[in-house]
Amino acid sequence: MDNIVQPKREPALGFIFITLLIDITGFGIVIPVFPKLIEHLIHGNLSDAARYGGWLTFAYSVMQFLFAPVLGNLSDKYGRRPILLGSLLGFAIDYTFLAFAQSIWWLFVGRIIAGITGASFTTASAYIADVSTPEKRAQNFGIIGAAFGIGFIIGPVLGGVLGNIDTKLPFLAAAGLALLNAIYGFFILPESLAPENRRSFEWRRANPVGSLLQLKRYPAISGLVGSLILIYIAAHAVQSTWTFFTMEKFSWKEDMVGYSLGFVGILSGLVQGVLIRYTIPKFGQKRSIVYGLILYSIGLLLFAFASQSWMLFAILIVYCLGGIAGPALQGLISSQIPSNEQGELQGSLTSLISVTSIIGPPLMTTLFAWFTDKKAPVIFPGAPFLTGAILMLVSTILAVRSFKRPEKTA
């Protein structure tokens, strides 16, 4: 199962791109129908469903926070391939639970399983770091964004169409894709981590708190931690409430939600698959981070006060252009870390994301539920977006301040 032959860079990037593409397509399929599934299971309205949606993400994130550093460290010892395959099988089980859920608690069980095994992005990031030269890492991390974009072109649109036929169909399709991905990876995906770059597993470095503390070893990373926390929390204004927001304020159906997310996929694919190959060399990593965060802030602010459906599609262009920040930020962080600790780094960053996902979804969905409740003093569905815009501006300030700290070279 563990092929130790180091793959060539270009073929390896192609393999990991296909793996991520199938994974993200499966993830995107279920998004348009998730609110209606929750509504059905709790016998409540959209505001109530939003609250449950936030807590479901909370359950997933708690498990990922606890187990991501373990899997990241295991990938530094045994290689990326077996960890990635196990993650894909975990997602297949999760989607199966969602498809046949008889109560809301089934959804929590499925999300917990996915959180425990959900290391696909962590391992893929370490994989890319393995096969990339230091000067190409930032651009190659854009492969994740490109796969995300294309997967979100296919997944949500397909999910919206299937959801109009039967609520279970998107989840069954997602489970099938995850299983197909595992089979594809087993026969096609090569191992990226050479034996000489592996290290022994240490529980001290694999516990979630210890994993976060490892970030303090590198000044550039510790300086960016505060900025990262705010960025990820702010992003949940969109990630956790978009479907609920558009259905509540603009009465969108599953297919329209799918089309909007498909548009996000097109934009993300163009920005992170094409644009960053020009912006990072032209502006540099630090300026790309600042410009991207400012665009994110403007997009979130405009979402908050949009009054017609067509406006959302126009604003998505501004918001998605902010995607130039992500690969630049990841490349800047990765460049500070030795090659035999990239798995640990990505596990630590996933743990950090999980901490913000413990905070962000309940925060944003509770804001949405509060300001869409009939008893609210002011009806304002855009409250999460306004909150996100403020947080993103603060994160920009923290990022600029962190750039003044000394850097190390991996």
Side-chain angles (χ1 to χ4, degrees):
M1 187 176 189
D2 188 10
N3 180 6
I4 61 174
V5 177
Q6 184 83 354
K8 294 181 180 179
R9 286 190 174 89
E10 293 306 319
L13 293 174
F15 287 137
I16 206 66
F17 174 78
I18 295 297
T19 300
L20 285 173
L21 176 62
I22 298 174
D23 193 19
I24 295 163
T25 299
F27 176 77
I29 283 175
V30 306
I31 293 177
V33 295
F34 214 55
K36 295 299 183 183
L37 176 63
I38 297 173
E39 272 190 294
H40 171 71
L41 293 175
I42 66 173
H43 307 289
N45 58 31
L46 205 57
S47 293
D48 296 330
R51 285 193 178 94
Y52 275 97
W55 289 113
L56 283 164
T57 305
F58 171 88
Y60 172 85
S61 300
V62 168
M63 292 298 103
Q64 192 169 72
F65 170 69
L66 294 174
F67 287 92
V70 175
L71 295 177
N73 277 265
L74 285 173
S75 79
D76 281 339
K77 178 176 174 61
Y78 297 108
R80 318 304 184 195
R81 187 171 179 270
I83 305 303
L84 186 57
L85 295 181
S87 172
L88 297 174
L89 289 174
F91 277 120
I93 296 171
D94 170 38
Y95 294 135
T96 303
F97 263 91
L98 299 182
F100 296 102
Q102 300 297 312
S103 72
I104 190 67
W105 304 113
W106 283 49
L107 301 191
F108 279 98
V109 172
R111 293 281 77 193
I112 288 170
I113 292 172
I116 292 172
T117 61
S120 57
F121 282 91
T122 302
T123 313
S125 297
Y127 194 110
I128 291 170
D130 290 340
V131 300
S132 300
T133 59
E135 61 272 13
K136 287 288 186 179
R137 277 180 186 160
Q139 293 184 34
N140 288 340
F141 277 129
I143 288 175
I144 297 175
F148 182 92
I150 297 173
F152 255 60
I153 295 171
I154 303 169
V157 174
L158 180 59
V161 173
L162 293 176
N164 281 335
I165 301 172
D166 190 311
T167 305
K168 291 183 179 181
L169 280 180
F171 299 101
L172 293 173
L177 280 175
L179 185 60
L180 176 65
N181 204 0
I183 296 171
Y184 165 82
F186 182 82
F187 288 105
I188 302 296
L189 189 68
E191 179 55 62
S192 66
L193 187 63
E196 62 270 20
N197 289 329
R198 301 186 185 190
R199 62 175 180 82
S200 60
F201 180 87
E202 300 176 44
W203 279 109
R204 177 181 58 84
R205 300 173 73 171
N207 76 81
V209 176
S211 179
L212 289 176
L213 292 177
Q214 292 297 320
L215 297 174
K216 290 186 176 181
R217 296 168 55 194
Y218 308 97
I221 293 176
S222 62
L224 288 170
V225 165
S227 177
L228 279 170
I229 290 172
L230 294 180
I231 291 168
Y232 290 132
I233 293 175
H236 276 287
V238 176
Q239 295 172 13
S240 298
T241 68
W242 180 262
T243 306
F244 298 101
F245 171 77
T246 53
M247 287 182 171
E248 174 70 23
K249 186 168 183 178
F250 300 106
S251 300
W252 282 10
K253 301 297 182 183
E254 290 89 342
D255 54 352
M256 191 63 177
V257 172
Y259 297 144
S260 70
L261 293 175
F263 186 56
V264 170
I266 294 172
L267 295 173
S268 297
L270 290 174
V271 170
Q272 300 203 34
V274 179
L275 186 61
I276 65 164
R277 306 222 167 230
Y278 299 95
T279 56
I280 292 177
K282 180 176 178 59
F283 300 128
Q285 292 178 340
K286 294 178 181 179
R287 288 170 67 188
S288 295
I289 292 167
V290 173
Y291 295 159
L293 295 181
I294 291 173
L295 287 166
Y296 274 146
S297 302
I298 294 171
L300 287 167
L301 184 64
L302 293 174
F303 282 140
F305 296 100
S307 58
Q308 298 183 46
S309 289
W310 68 265
M311 293 180 179
L312 297 183
F313 286 89
I315 298 167
L316 279 171
I317 298 174
V318 177
Y319 181 77
C320 289
L321 284 173
I324 64 174
L329 183 57
Q330 198 165 12
L332 182 63
I333 292 173
S334 178
S335 67
Q336 311 303 309
I337 307 299
S339 59
N340 67 343
E341 296 181 11
Q342 289 294 329
E344 180 182 37
L345 167 66
Q346 300 305 331
S348 297
L349 293 179
T350 301
S351 291
L352 180 65
I353 295 171
S354 296
V355 170
T356 63
S357 295
I358 292 170
I359 301 168
L363 171 64
M364 296 303 180
T365 56
T366 298
L367 279 172
F368 173 82
W370 175 265
F371 283 99
T372 56
D373 192 279
K374 295 179 180 179
K375 298 178 181 178
V378 177
I379 301 298
F380 183 39
F385 298 108
L386 180 58
T387 303
I390 295 170
L391 293 175
M392 201 70 80
L393 284 173
V394 176
S395 76
T396 307
I397 296 171
L398 292 178
V400 171
R401 291 180 60 188
S402 74
F403 294 156
K404 298 177 182 179
R405 295 195 175 191
E407 298 180 6
K408 294 181 181 179
T409 302

